[in-house]
Amino acid sequence: MNLDSKIPSGAIGEKWVNHKFSTKLVNPANKRKYKVIVVGSGLAGASAAATLGELGYQVLCFCYQDSPRRAHSIAAQGGINAAKNYQNDGDSVYRLFYDTVKGGDFRSREANVHRLAEVSCNIIDQCVAQGVPFAREYGGLLDNRSFGGAQVSRTFYARGQTGQQLLLGAYSALERQIGLGTVKMYTRHEMLDLVVEDGRAVGIVTRNMVTGAVEPWAADAVLLCTGGYSNVFFLSTNATGCNVTAAYRAYKKGAGFANPCFTQIHPTCIPQHGDQQSKLTLMSESLRNDGRIWVPKSREDAAAIRAGKKSPNDIPEADRDYYLERKYPSFGNLAPRDISSRAAKEACDDKRGVANTGFGVYLDFKDAINRLGQPKIEERYGNLFEMYERITGVDAYKEPMQIYPAPHYTMGGLWVDYNLMTTIPGCFALGEANFSDHGANRLGASALMQGLADGYFVIPYTLGGYLAGLGLASAGKNSPESPAFKASLEYVKERTSKFLSIKGKRTPRSLHQELGHIMWEACGMAREASVLEKAIEAIPHLREEFWKNVTVTGSGEELNQQLEMAGRVADFLEFGELMCRDALARDESCGCHLRVEHQYPDGEAKRDDEKFAHVAVWEYKGDNVTPVRNTEPLTYENVHFAVRSYK
Amino acid sequence: MSNEGRSYTLRIWRQKNRNTPGKLVDYKVTNISPGSSFLEMLDLLNEDLVAKGEEAIAFDNDCREGICGMCSLTINGIPHGPERRTTVCQLHMRKFEDGAVITIEPFRAKPFPIVKDLVVDRSAFDRIIQAGGFISVRTGGVPDANAIAIPKDVADVAMDAAACIGCGACVAACKNSSAMLFTSAKASQLNRLPQGQAEKDRRVLLMISQLDKEGFGSCTNYGECQAVCPKGITLDHIAKMHRDYAVASFKNVFGKVL
């Protein structure tokens, strides 16, 4: 597998500038001859499709929802980072770069991260110009807040719905291009295969989710902006439709899959209420600016709370353990996500957890309300408090919120080079779907930044370089009638009819739930070789059960949500195994990936930079054949290896 | 919080596709936890139906956090159900008494044709945005974000309007199937901001013209839209759009806008 990262030469601050200059351009009049497919319409997809359409390419954009505005980027709450230094508190491009590399626990690629920090400022300018109503101060200038893993305030926000506002900005830009005819939008279309011909990506096959029609689409390049795979855990904060299918199809067609075990468990989600739960809800990390996290010091108090005999307000200050403030005094409640999540798990494993399941900790606003007054807290987080009350029936102004970590984001994804191209020429991956920028742990408010950076400011340059390299002769000439397309169509149709023909006893959802349970136990917040080995054995059995005993009602020629679910679950059943293999092979701890065998006495992740300062890139070798693990070494020329310390 | 299971009779709209007439069908669900969301209850019903070999009920949903705008059920005659400022996905069963009969229908409006069961086609909303719901800026060719100071109160009102999730409850609640609340939310957001001034007149003329083409009715100030809006969008955005429309139409008479 060719893992040439194509990192440009030069000093870290000059790489992107030089690369933009040395990348070939496509003449404005020639751009319209090229066809580009964009799969997904979240921040990465919508911004890429809008920008490429504006540049003059013929763009085809696909999403599985009924409108591009529904993509799950919309659910991001807290904010977006940018190195604007509007607060005059010592921020800079280099500091954002440094914080991101360190926050990622030295498992991301320096050059990509620096580029991300560089373009972060352009993103804010772009969004403001589009009319995104970011929060402002009385003087009319932009306001900032702080976020986990940083000691500066560099996060821009729009109440508790920053993702929504940024996505609607990108969606507006996309709709404008659709209106102008440069982008053709296909909603309720699900990508079910990537088509590769002579080693290049030449198009995709989709299923029209309303009519069931399976159709081929040819293009000169395919951009996968299809998000992450947290739903492999069944319960996550992702939208119910989020899935790994597009990325996994690309993997099966030869794209390397990087670091699949790097999954972020977000510390502030609403605890699970019971087995009827279909998804978990995130409460923005911004709440940690003013909320203090604690559990009772004694197991007895915790047990009394769980039994409903005591309320959290009955526990005096002296009997509360503000464990993040205690363990990490300088970052306190704003410690990075992986560290905060693990600390919550530790407290609950110590039987000091609250919530009726024992898997919950408190996030308390009492001090902030006393200090700032309730109106100020309402202004900052009103919508989050309302949401909390709707879901739990508890008024968090009066009683602390209960929170617990939940799968939320995946740092792993398709391997891409500096140009965001996967190991299949012509197939690119943007946003959460790729692996490059966050290493083993993503800092808060950096996902929005990366999605928009890739779509607005990176791919418009790097895609041009690829297309210019192809030459004009072949532009727009790939035919959906070719044998490669026919084979893909056949494959998709066969698979669809297979799902419908099994007529077994198990629902796709029940199998997904079972997989989620295995994944959470083996590949969740703490991982251990023996448990991972068992999971690697168990998952193929579950897969077998699926293909023998699944039942999918309805037909293939209509809207059929059970059929859609079955397809996604079938891919998760293969992908989950890959994740466990990756977690097992990475015999160290780093960031989100805590192998219980490798930790410092205080429970911190113990990296092994000698052996594992690399990206693990998995190569598909056939169904039920062990995939091959390749590596891309990571070198750190600017930020030097250090044990992360947030104390 | 009591956790004992509750039972309900659900009266659900079933319709094979756009061209086949639909009808209400009764289903029983039992052992529903009060902490379950409304959609989790439907998930469980679907699990039962599929296990029996019957076809699952189709309903749109995605984020289940009240922000994507995909869920679109009319519950007991009210779009998004009885709880104010709440989408269906955020509605929880503790709000429904044990044994209740609950009627579940799609968002009904002529410009929202039914796709299947409870799923409707709201692509008309996208076309309204295409007509003018944007500020025309090129990627990259923009001034520094702090180059324009925007008074906090203006930014706040723009944000109130921008909170619209495009679910279409306003249309489903309106006797006239008017989409004025949706359209005005976007127009008001952009027309209030300094960045949106250049296209202010074109924007309202084009968006309202598209709204008419899609077959949405006129606004006659019933205010049902505001009452059901899960994001609390208010009628003053419609008033603002009417004012902007009047000015733009007047200018347009003299050929200055379109």
Side-chain angles (χ1 to χ4, degrees), chain A residues 111-183:
Chain A
N112 289 53
V113 177
H114 197 275
R115 175 176 65 190
L116 176 68
E118 282 170 66
V119 303
S120 67
C121 296
N122 305 76
I123 297 172
I124 303 302
D125 299 342
Q126 184 67 25
C127 295
V128 167
Q130 288 170 340
V132 169
F134 282 121
R136 287 180 184 264
E137 295 167 345
Y138 282 103
L141 301 182
L142 292 160
D143 191 19
N144 292 114
R145 53 167 59 142
S146 32
F147 246 69
Q151 287 175 312
V152 293
S153 288
R154 64 159 75 98
T155 305
F156 295 78
Y157 65 101
R159 290 196 191 143
Q161 49 221 76
T162 317
Q164 179 201 25
Q165 293 310 314
L166 296 178
L167 182 66
L168 293 182
Y171 160 76
S172 286
L174 173 62
E175 289 296 337
R176 174 170 165 250
Q177 294 302 324
I178 296 170
L180 293 170
T182 61
V183 179

Side-chain angles (χ1 to χ4, degrees), chain A residues 314-326:
Chain A
D314 298 337
I315 309 292
E317 274 302 305
D319 294 339
R320 299 177 174 195
D321 178 14
Y322 293 94
Y323 58 84
L324 286 176
E325 296 172 25
R326 172 170 58 82

Side-chain angles (χ1 to χ4, degrees), chain A residues 248-477:
Chain A
Y248 197 73
R249 300 283 111 199
Y251 163 74
K252 285 188 121 173
K253 285 294 177 80
F257 209 107
N259 301 333
C261 80
F262 286 175
T263 56
Q264 182 162 75
I265 312 291
H266 196 290
T268 50
C269 301
I270 297 177
Q272 194 180 340
H273 69 75
D275 336 319
Q276 298 184 356
Q277 193 122 14
S278 294
K279 83 150 262 163
L280 296 169
T281 304
L282 176 92
M283 301 300 291
S284 168
E285 173 166 297
S286 62
L287 291 167
R288 291 202 274 147
N289 270 300
D290 288 304
R292 297 178 69 196
I293 295 173
W294 64 275
V295 288
K297 275 189 182 156
S298 76
R299 291 179 186 163
E300 293 69 38
D301 277 345
I305 291 172
R306 288 197 296 270
K309 287 181 193 143
K310 271 191 179 173
S311 108
N313 294 332
D314 298 337
I315 309 292
E317 274 302 305
D319 294 339
R320 299 177 174 195
D321 178 14
Y322 293 94
Y323 58 84
L324 286 176
E325 296 172 25
R326 172 170 58 82
K327 293 167 81 170
Y328 310 99
S330 65
F331 280 70
N333 294 298
L334 286 175
R337 292 178 171 176
D338 51 344
I339 288 178
S340 308
S341 292
R342 264 194 311 266
K345 179 180 190 297
E346 235 169 67
C348 295
D349 289 350
D350 191 34
K351 305 217 170 355
R352 294 187 293 136
V354 293
N356 47 10
T357 55
F359 294 102
V361 299
Y362 287 123
L363 178 63
D364 199 333
F365 290 86
K366 194 180 66 186
D367 290 345
I369 291 173
N370 290 342
R371 191 174 69 243
L372 304 164
Q374 187 166 326
K376 191 77 197 168
I377 296 297
E378 272 174 35
E379 187 195 316
R380 284 189 189 163
Y381 313 109
N383 61 330
L384 297 170
F385 277 63
E386 274 172 36
M387 182 163 92
Y388 184 80
E389 181 164 10
R390 271 197 292 273
I391 294 172
T392 62
V394 173
D395 177 357
Y397 294 108
K398 300 210 172 85
E399 200 177 288
M401 288 182 182
Q402 291 179 358
I403 53 166
Y404 197 67
H408 163 65
Y409 182 90
T410 53
M411 284 74 69
L414 292 171
W415 183 89
V416 290
D417 63 14
Y418 190 71
N419 295 320
L420 304 182
M421 190 154 84
T422 67
T423 54
I424 303 174
C427 175
F428 295 76
L430 283 65
E432 192 179 349
N434 74 28
F435 87 101
S436 68
D437 295 356
H438 306 295
N441 173 54
R442 178 176 64 75
L443 293 180
S446 285
L448 302 183
M449 173 171 70
Q450 189 219 337
L452 290 180
D454 288 358
Y456 281 135
F457 297 109
V458 179
I459 199 71
Y461 292 91
T462 60
L463 178 70
Y466 170 75
L467 295 175
L470 285 182
L472 265 181
S474 66
K477 301 261 167 64

